[in-house]
Amino acid sequence: MSDGAPPSPDRGDGGVVLVARELGIDTHQEYVIYMHRDCPVCRAEGFAAQARVAVRIGERSLVATLNVVQADWLAMHEVGFSTSAWNALRASTGGQVFVSHAPPLESASALRSKIFGHRLDAAQIGAIVADIAAGNYSDAHIAAFLSAGAGGRMDLQETVDMTAAMVAVGDRLSWQRTPIADKHSVGGLPGNRTTPIVVAIAAAAGLTVPKTSSRAITSPAGTADVMETMTRVALDLPAMRRVVEREGACLVWGGAVSLSPADDLLIRVARPLDLDGDAQLVASVLSKKLAAGATHVVIDMPVGPTAKVRSESDANRLRELLEQVASALGLHVRVLLSDGAQPVGRGIGPALEARDVLAVLRRELAAPADLRARAIALAASLLEFCGRSRAGEGQSDATKILDAGFAWNKFQAICEAQGGLREPVRAARTHPVLAEHDGFVSAIDNRRLARLAKLAGAPAVAAAGLELHVRLGESVTPGTPLFTLHAEAPGELAYALSYLASHPVLSISREEKP
């Protein structure tokens, strides 16, 4: 147009044509678009803030939440995109966008039924999970579904149906062999990075272990974050299959493959609400194992006063539910309760935990003994469970595989197949925290330690976190190093120290050790 005015939006097939603009706003996995309040489309279609709208660019479409902009930084003919929506639609600046009313949410009636305490059948749960995976549910819808099922309000059959539905909406791998092994931890314990060691031992023993892992959401590191400091983890399904066929195992990021995609969306909403209900946890864990083609899974369940699972009664209830749901779906599961009173290993944060893993695999004299022992115990259980070791001989077999260097060789081979092995990075800044008086370490707060590591920059900054130097029951004197903070930026180090000043993470008692 000669006067420089923006083009007028005109009607097109499926809605009104507007112009795409990337805003660079991170809304995580939630799809969000932005339109000016005076946009003729908003007026003509009756769109208001928080409306759910259908957005189409070319052949790609999704349902997004609308945010209405009152300032002039967004033109009336533009549609602004969050990063997740922009990437999902493979949008380009200036491209034509069609916006229309979202289709009716057919599963909403089932969701309302569950909110009012009614039991759902398999078809209703399947419809809800399918809508979640398709992106048709807003965060408010997902939060309502999670809340309606929390606190024991989802029975055994509903949990089975939810797990099966989460598998059904994604890809599912199959392998021309059996058994297919896997190992999982319910989490809640800083460090405890046993998975890479267990996978290496199991694969060196001849087991097939197609291991997918998550990134951290609220913790200082997930297994995928730790592995990413040493090798490439964002493999697609064909690449993942090639690695497994070549080396018998992989250690990849589950977010790069479409295995139980609804789970990632449920977790994203559940974590900020601290809604870690048994049914959702069980469906989350088992759906991913089933989708990866596992037949035998060993699950580590740390139990402790500041772990995710706080008491033995809670652990037994959760273990029974895991075993019952797994059995109903044809999956063999063995749940092992472990000590969750303190972190496992020394490092808390991606690179620091990776250095612990490498120290154990390389059989270094200074390797964390507790991490080595727990990894061997879990690997031993997996070897016996899958028939690679005779009953009672798994511990000896796993120890020999580790001590002879076979696990280290296998780990290197897996990393090379995934793109090469590299050494974890080191932080630019460190700050030791010292004991102020005599005594012994009487308590360690796992949750506060995790919070402290995150304030130092983990997991976004791979080298950040903290390194623990003492264990429960150890004696200390004034000046004894308790732990060392690792950070890249002075501001992050300052945040961590400010938190520490009012939130002690270790208790040093002057009383005699029990």
Side-chain angles (χ1 to χ4, degrees):
M1 298 179 65
S2 58
D3 60 1
S8 299
D10 56 339
R11 299 293 301 185
D13 180 28
V16 176
V17 180
L18 296 171
V19 176
R21 176 179 168 188
E22 183 179 12
L23 297 181
I25 297 175
D26 183 4
T27 56
H28 196 40
Q29 293 169 301
E30 185 178 14
Y31 300 142
V32 180
I33 67 166
Y34 303 79
M35 299 172 70
H36 196 278
R37 66 176 179 181
D38 294 327
C39 172
V41 178
C42 287
R43 293 201 302 267
E45 301 291 345
F47 293 150
Q50 297 302 297
R52 296 289 286 170
V53 295
V55 187
R56 180 171 64 83
I57 295 178
E59 299 299 317
R60 294 183 173 272
S61 63
L62 53 77
V63 176
T65 298
L66 171 66
N67 283 355
V68 175
V69 176
Q70 298 185 14
D72 292 334
W73 56 263
L74 187 69
M76 286 188 292
H77 68 289
E78 291 180 322
V79 178
F81 285 84
S82 68
T83 300
S84 58
W86 183 267
N87 292 338
L89 289 170
R90 299 181 185 175
S92 58
T93 301
Q96 289 188 330
V97 185
F98 295 83
V99 182
S100 59
H101 288 278
L105 197 58
E106 298 295 340
S107 67
S109 60
L111 172 60
R112 286 191 293 271
S113 179
K114 190 61 186 174
I115 290 171
F116 284 104
H118 301 295
R119 188 184 178 282
L120 300 182
D121 61 27
Q124 291 172 309
I125 291 175
I128 290 173
V129 171
D131 272 332
I132 291 172
N136 295 334
Y137 268 34
S138 68
D139 280 7
H141 288 107
I142 295 174
F145 176 61
L146 290 167
S147 300
R153 288 186 290 271
M154 190 168 277
D155 65 23
L156 173 60
Q157 189 57 51
E158 286 178 304
T159 307
V160 171
D161 292 337
M162 182 174 171
T163 306
M166 289 168 64
V167 175
V169 297
D171 293 323
R172 186 169 185 176
L173 296 173
S174 61
W175 307 92
Q176 302 304 312
R177 68 195 79 166
T178 191
I180 303 299
D182 205 331
K183 174 267 171 188
H184 181 81
S185 173
V186 300
L189 197 61
N192 201 23
R193 200 54 56 201
T194 56
T195 294
I197 305 168
V198 173
V199 170
I201 293 172
L207 289 176
T208 300
V209 196
K211 179 61 184 169
T212 63
S213 299
S214 62
R215 295 189 187 277
I217 297 178
T218 61
S219 65
T223 296
D225 301 305
V226 173
M227 286 302 304
E228 195 169 44
T229 69
M230 297 180 282
T231 192
R232 186 167 64 99
V233 297
L235 276 62
D236 59 18
L237 282 177
M240 174 184 168
R241 185 177 287 278
R242 285 194 297 271
V243 173
V244 175
E245 294 293 348
R246 173 175 155 180
E247 297 299 338
C250 66
L251 285 152
V252 303
W253 173 43
V257 292
S258 185
L259 302 177
S260 189
D263 183 51
D264 293 331
L265 300 172
L266 290 169
I267 289 175
R268 175 175 58 83
V269 177
R271 290 295 174 83
L273 295 173
D274 200 20
L275 274 178
D276 207 359
D278 287 355
Q280 188 254 326
L281 186 152
V282 168
S284 170
V285 171
L286 299 185
S287 66
K288 288 188 172 179
K289 305 311 172 190
L290 289 161
T295 61
H296 293 69
V297 183
V298 167
I299 297 178
D300 176 26
M301 189 182 296
V303 183
T306 57
K308 179 182 290 185
V309 181
R310 302 293 184 89
S311 68
E312 190 171 341
S313 61
D314 289 341
N316 288 330
R317 185 189 69 250
L318 183 56
R319 174 166 58 185
E320 183 178 7
L321 184 59
L322 279 162
E323 291 172 346
Q324 289 177 327
V325 174
S327 177
L329 296 170
L331 181 64
H332 301 283
V333 163
R334 178 178 289 179
V335 181
L336 304 180
L337 305 190
S338 58
D339 180 13
Q342 62 183 325
V344 177
R346 287 189 287 267
I348 302 175
L352 292 164
E353 293 178 33
R355 294 218 292 270
D356 282 352
V357 167
L358 291 174
V360 171
L361 287 169
R362 288 168 171 163
R363 296 97 67 210
E364 296 175 5
L365 292 177
D370 59 336
L371 178 63
R372 171 189 160 91
R374 188 170 297 212
I376 288 174
L378 290 166
S381 181
L382 192 58
L383 293 178
E384 293 182 13
F385 195 31
C386 294
R388 280 295 183 271
S389 295
R390 294 177 182 177
E393 296 182 3
Q395 183 85 10
S396 174
D397 291 343
T399 301
K400 289 176 183 176
I401 291 169
L402 182 60
D403 287 347
F406 298 135
W408 170 230
N409 292 340
K410 177 54 69 175
F411 183 80
Q412 292 179 88
I414 292 170
C415 290
E416 288 300 330
Q418 291 184 196
L421 175 64
R422 58 180 176 270
E423 290 294 315
V425 294
R426 294 182 179 272
R429 291 174 170 79
T430 59
H431 181 93
V433 176
L434 312 178
E436 297 179 353
H437 56 78
D438 291 327
F440 70 95
V441 181
S442 56
I444 298 177
D445 192 314
N446 290 309
R447 291 176 179 261
R448 286 185 176 181
L449 271 179
R451 175 70 171 162
L452 190 63
K454 289 191 292 181
L455 287 170
V461 179
L466 64 87
E467 190 173 8
L468 193 62
H469 303 306
V470 295
R471 312 295 298 168
L472 282 174
E474 287 189 12
S475 299
V476 299
T477 58
T480 298
L482 301 176
F483 56 89
T484 299
L485 288 166
H486 293 243
E488 284 294 303
E492 289 167 335
L493 187 58
Y495 291 146
L497 291 172
S498 176
Y499 175 82
L500 182 62
S502 55
H503 298 83
V505 297
L506 304 180
S507 297
I508 308 299
S509 175
R510 286 193 170 93
E511 299 175 3
E512 291 294 325
K513 287 191 289 184

